Amino acid sequence: MGLLLLLKLSPRTARLGIPSMAFLVGVGAAVAIGGAIMGTLFPQTWASMQAFNLSVPENTGWKRVMKGLSCWSVP
């Protein structure tokens, strides 16, 4: 793959390097999208589900949500 990328330096052989460049762009996009999903979407979803988990001790779940909402109310 490195040799194919080097072929892009010459205008005559540049078309031979297109598949390797496409592969690198595709892998880069997959890593970026996968990292964004694994790093932000999954942890946020898990944390949201834990707020409503009723199998944990008393001061969690709906009580935590209602306590958080009550701090925003106007006195």
Side-chain angles (χ1 to χ4, degrees), residues 5-72:
L5 285 175
L6 286 175
L7 291 175
K8 289 192 67 69
L9 293 174
S10 170
R12 286 185 66 189
T13 59
R15 63 188 166 123
L16 296 174
I18 291 174
S20 61
M21 192 63 147
F23 178 76
L24 287 176
V25 169
V27 168
V31 168
I33 292 171
I37 290 174
M38 295 294 279
T40 58
L41 189 61
F42 287 161
Q44 286 291 331
T45 304
W46 184 81
S48 297
M49 289 188 305
Q50 291 304 311
F52 297 104
N53 189 358
L54 300 177
S55 65
V56 292
E58 187 176 314
N59 199 14
T60 56
W62 284 103
K63 289 182 181 181
R64 183 188 315 164
V65 173
M66 296 310 287
K67 189 175 184 180
L69 291 175
S70 67
C71 73
W72 291 101

